[in-house]
Amino acid sequence: MRFSDKVYVITGAGSGIGEAAAKKVASEGGTVVVADMDDSAGARVVSEIEAAGGTASFVHIDVSAEGDADRLVRHAVDTYGRLDGAINNAGVGQPVKKIHEMTTADWDRVHSVDLRGVFFGLRAQIAHFLTVGGGVIVNTASGAGLKAAPGQGGYVAAKHGVVGLTKQAAIEYVTDGIRVTAVAPGLVATPQFRSYPQDAQEMYAQLQPGGRPAEPEEIANVMAFLLSDDASFMSGEIVLVDAAQSQK
Ligand code: ADP
């Protein structure tokens, strides 16, 4: 029960990695604010956490919208009296296109959610943590935040930005009791991945050294470790969770 009596906000918690992280944190005693732009997905995750004996509430948020991250922090503090940590996880992919094929809209969408959204989250959370003597933040980067990926120029650039912001925040606030890390997942079997045709799923799975993508829980377990006091001497690390994919 590493998160007993503590409160966490998790963005993109209506699906996939964020949902698995919310359930993991709640299963270890943490109170979770499920933040997502998908109201029905968020409500479902809250009710599943509550059915399992946990405590959670839902806040509608668009991480790319100015002010929403501040409102999320206020919700946690007003409702539960405290905020101990955050997982900035909400994200979107981009259509497979080479750089010369990408529209300005393709670029802006992935950057406004995946990078500006993390900046807004960090800014709001850090401002609060500075007033209470510390806190923990875990960002969702990607293997594509550490090297190129075919047809993913906008996403690669945004996730490299998340990696940079994570390192920057870590060094700027290490003496303020604020730890900031990121996980960098490889291929994950998210609901979106599971919606691909079976042959496409198999083709992607075969590209993995271990022959399969990660289950969202296998990423969430690492996030929970980073969020917990077990990782008390970690800040600024970008933790790859990819079963050797990056060694190919
Ligand atoms: P993954 O598991 O890789 O994070 P998913 O697509 O399963 O991928 O989950 C991403 C979650 O982030 C979804 O629940 C989605 O609704 C949410 N999301 C996407 N864009 C935003 C946004 N701008 N603000 C808040 N939540 C968002």
Side-chain angles (χ1 to χ4, degrees):
M1 297 297 266
R2 292 177 291 183
F3 307 115
S4 293
D5 304 322
K6 293 186 173 175
V7 179
Y8 299 90
V9 295
I10 303 179
T11 69
S15 171
I17 296 169
E19 172 181 351
K23 289 177 173 172
K24 175 71 177 168
V25 170
S27 76
E28 293 198 37
T31 293
V32 177
V33 181
V34 170
D36 205 289
M37 69 188 320
D38 183 334
D39 293 2
S40 61
R44 176 185 56 78
V45 173
V46 168
S47 66
E48 288 173 8
I49 287 173
E50 288 174 343
T55 306
S57 56
F58 173 69
V59 171
H60 178 94
I61 179 178
D62 176 354
V63 295
S64 68
E66 174 114 51
D68 277 21
D70 307 271
R71 189 164 50 77
L72 181 59
V73 169
R74 271 202 308 280
H75 167 91
V77 175
D78 291 350
T79 309
Y80 303 111
R82 59 188 296 144
L83 179 64
D84 298 280
I87 302 181
N88 294 308
N89 165 79
V92 292
Q94 71 152 82
V96 175
K97 290 182 184 177
K98 288 187 157 185
I99 291 167
H100 74 280
E101 299 165 329
M102 283 179 61
T103 65
T104 308
D106 291 333
W107 174 269
D108 284 348
R109 177 154 190 271
V110 75
H111 275 256
S112 65
V113 178
D114 293 12
L115 182 53
R116 194 164 74 146
V118 172
F119 162 61
F120 284 161
L122 285 171
R123 186 171 62 179
Q125 294 142 16
I126 289 168
H128 173 72
F129 292 151
L130 287 172
T131 68
V132 295
V136 188
I137 300 171
V138 179
N139 297 322
T140 299
S142 168
L146 298 165
K147 60 184 277 201
Q152 292 293 307
Y155 185 77
V156 161
K159 290 296 186 178
H160 274 71
V162 172
V163 166
L165 262 181
T166 301
K167 294 175 179 176
Q168 185 68 26
I171 189 69
E172 284 187 359
Y173 302 104
V174 68
T175 55
D176 297 300
I178 301 173
R179 295 194 298 106
V180 188
T181 57
V183 291
L187 186 67
V188 182
T190 60
Q192 198 188 332
F193 177 83
R194 289 291 181 218
S195 73
Y196 295 164
Q198 195 59 33
D199 56 343
Q201 288 190 41
E202 278 161 20
M203 189 267 291
Y204 280 116
Q206 276 160 16
L207 295 174
Q208 304 301 304
R212 68 170 179 89
E215 292 303 321
E217 291 74 15
E218 293 176 299
I219 309 301
N221 288 342
V222 179
M223 290 172 148
F225 163 70
L226 292 170
L227 203 59
S228 79
D229 289 343
D230 288 341
S232 55
F233 204 65
M234 293 183 75
S235 199
E237 290 84 0
I238 313 300
V239 181
L240 254 174
V241 189
D242 76 346
Q245 168 67 23
S246 55
Q247 308 306 323
K248 271 178 76 177

